[in-house]
């Protein structure tokens, strides 16, 4: 079986870390036919294209997509904020109906977690609605009377399919525990929909223990007592913010992988590190490709190549020696995937 794999290196350190992830895939022995897509800031600056229909059509036909990072440098005036994020990354999430953002966090060892607490959890982030949906607008822009609104879109359908995915995931894990994180005390409309949907789906999963935390409290618990969590399910924006925190408490954002999933498999799913383009360290060899490599492992697992995926994960246990460059880490991991961990 040869999988057709789309590769979008993207911006900043994206192409550097993606190259190392591809090395790991190759070392795992899984056959992939790669198509590289020139998308991101440099294409936009050259041609004005963000995600042309022809590229999107080719992407729809693939088995999976591996993405590095999207986004211009902070403060860059060449590419206005949001053009690439909304026009490329979010457009892919929406168009391919990648409604689950599956973000696992596992500290490589108890000592590497924040204040010595081991982290082993997954955040299931709703990925196509909420305040990311793009509802709202600006009226009377630039005048003293200007108004900006940015609504949060929550549909029963979108919320329920996300919560169901999270319950299924929790059921498959040892701890069988699922926490809904929201802000139901203030967001009384969307919070009510999330809470009622959560409660009604929970009745079908009596074997899964449940909990609820407000998002602000969850920030404290994640730092002080991450062992409270097994699987968290939450909305798009809370999930975005919480997963950066989860990255920080579980060994660093350089280790955090994610899968943007279409669980119905009506199209390709997309796998990418949680981190961004980190323009400040481009070309220095200091980018850690671990998150990209682990994203490739998530991809193989989702494609059904479980054995290859576990070999990649095992190759990163323990973590690579400190001081290695991006490429050296990639080589070190590839070697261990090929020949075992000794
Ligand atoms: C992420 C990123 C994206 C998001 C940005 C780049 C649009 O921060 O994947 O977490 O906000 O979802
Ligand atoms: Mn983010």
């Amino acid at each position: 079986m040869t999988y057709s794999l789309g590769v979008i290196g993207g911006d900043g350190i994206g192409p550097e870390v993606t190259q190392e992830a591809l090395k790991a895939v190759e070392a795992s022995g899984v056959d992939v036919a790669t198509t590289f897509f020139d998308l991101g800031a440099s294409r936009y600056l050259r041609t004005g294209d963000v995600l042309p229909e022809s590229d999107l059509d080719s992407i729809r036909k693939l088995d999976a997509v591996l993405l590095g990072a999207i986004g211009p440098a902070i403060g860059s005036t060449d590419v206005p904020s949001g053009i690439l994020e909304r026009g490329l990354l979010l457009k892919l999430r929406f168009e391919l109906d990648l409604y689950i953002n599956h973000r696992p966090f596992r500290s490589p060892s108890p000592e590497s977690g924040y204040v010595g607490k081991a982290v082993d959890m997954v955040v299931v982030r709703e990925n196509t609605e909420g305040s990311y949906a793009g509802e709202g607008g600006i009226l009377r822009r630039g005048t003293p009377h200007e108004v900006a609104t940015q609504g949060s879109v929550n549909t029963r359908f979108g919320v329920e399919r996300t919560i169901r995915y999270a319950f299924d995931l929790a059921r498959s894990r040892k701890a069988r525990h699922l926490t809904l994180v929201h802000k139901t005390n203030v967001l009384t409309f969307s919070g009510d929909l999330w809470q009622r949907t959560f409660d009604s789906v929970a009745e079908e999963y009596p074997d899964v223990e449940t909990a609820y935390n407000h998002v602000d409290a969850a920030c404290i618990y994640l730092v002080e007592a991450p062992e409270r969590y097994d699987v968290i399910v939450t909305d798009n924006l809370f999930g975005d913010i919480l997963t950066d925190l989860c990255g920080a408490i579980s060994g660093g954002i350089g280790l955090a992988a994610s899968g943007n999933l279409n669980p119905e498999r009506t199209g390709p799913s997309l796998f990418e590190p949680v981190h961004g383009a980190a323009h400040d360290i481009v070309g220095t060899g200091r980018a850690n490709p671990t998150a990209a490599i682990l994203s490739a492992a998530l991809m193989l697992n989702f494609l059904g190549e479980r054995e290859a995926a576990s070999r990649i994960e095992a190759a990163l246990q323990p973590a690579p020696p400190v001081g290695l460059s991006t490429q050296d880490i990639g080589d070190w991991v590839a070697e261990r995937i090929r020949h075992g961990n000794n």
Side-chain angles (χ1 to χ4, degrees), residues 31-265:
D31 236 348
V32 293
T34 46
T35 308
F36 287 83
F37 290 86
D38 173 20
L39 294 167
S42 67
R43 166 96 175 261
Y44 173 74
L45 290 171
R46 231 177 38 248
T47 67
D49 291 329
V50 179
L51 178 59
E53 277 306 310
S54 55
D55 283 321
L56 183 55
D57 285 346
S58 316
I59 290 171
R60 284 187 203 282
K61 298 190 189 100
L62 299 164
D63 292 317
V65 181
L66 207 53
L67 184 143
I70 294 298
I74 304 272
S76 142
T77 46
D78 307 341
V79 190
S81 182
I83 297 266
L84 298 171
E85 292 85 344
R86 282 219 166 265
L88 179 49
L89 184 54
L90 300 189
K91 183 150 182 198
L92 285 170
R93 289 176 182 171
F94 296 170
E95 287 288 331
L96 302 174
D97 203 17
L98 308 175
Y99 66 86
I100 296 297
N101 202 323
H102 177 110
R103 298 188 153 178
F105 300 92
R106 188 187 280 155
S107 35
S109 65
E111 314 79 63
S112 64
Y114 187 79
V115 290
K117 303 252 189 183
V119 174
D120 182 5
M121 58 180 291
V122 180
V123 175
V124 175
R125 165 185 175 189
E126 198 291 319
N127 213 31
T128 57
E129 301 192 340
S131 17
Y132 278 67
E135 197 223 31
I138 294 193
L139 296 176
R140 305 192 285 265
R141 190 167 185 281
T143 76
H145 303 285
E146 80 177 304
V147 183
T149 60
Q150 191 109 39
S152 169
V153 174
N154 299 262
T155 68
R156 171 75 193 209
F157 174 74
V159 171
E160 183 167 334
R161 62 184 183 170
T162 305
I163 287 174
R164 282 191 184 280
Y165 177 89
F167 269 105
D168 283 334
L169 177 66
R171 178 174 267 175
S172 76
R173 290 167 58 89
K174 218 167 71 219
R176 293 187 177 203
H177 189 280
L178 177 63
T179 307
L180 170 65
V181 173
H182 208 280
K183 184 76 184 174
T184 54
N185 53 343
V186 173
L187 305 181
T188 48
F189 309 134
S190 57
D192 183 52
L193 175 59
W194 274 84
Q195 183 75 68
R196 275 186 293 110
T197 308
F198 186 80
D199 293 344
S200 77
V201 175
E203 286 174 21
E204 296 170 40
Y205 295 82
D207 51 325
V208 175
E209 213 188 316
T210 59
Y212 170 81
N213 291 154
H214 291 320
V215 64
D216 47 352
C219 290
I220 298 179
Y221 299 146
L222 278 167
V223 172
E224 290 187 353
E227 66 278 5
R228 275 173 176 257
Y229 297 112
D230 177 32
V231 180
I232 283 180
V233 64
T234 192
D235 87 351
N236 209 337
L237 183 58
F238 293 146
D240 176 48
I241 299 166
L242 281 184
T243 51
D244 267 27
L245 177 56
C246 290
I249 60 163
S250 60
I253 196 75
L255 312 185
S258 80
N260 296 262
L261 309 180
N262 171 331
E264 278 77 43
R265 299 168 193 265

Side-chain angles (χ1 to χ4, degrees), residues 3 30 32 63-64 265 271 298-305:
Y3 299 98
V30 174
V32 293
D63 292 317
R265 299 168 193 265
F271 300 82
L298 277 178
M299 173 183 82
L300 294 181
N301 197 49
F302 189 76
L303 290 172
E305 299 290 343

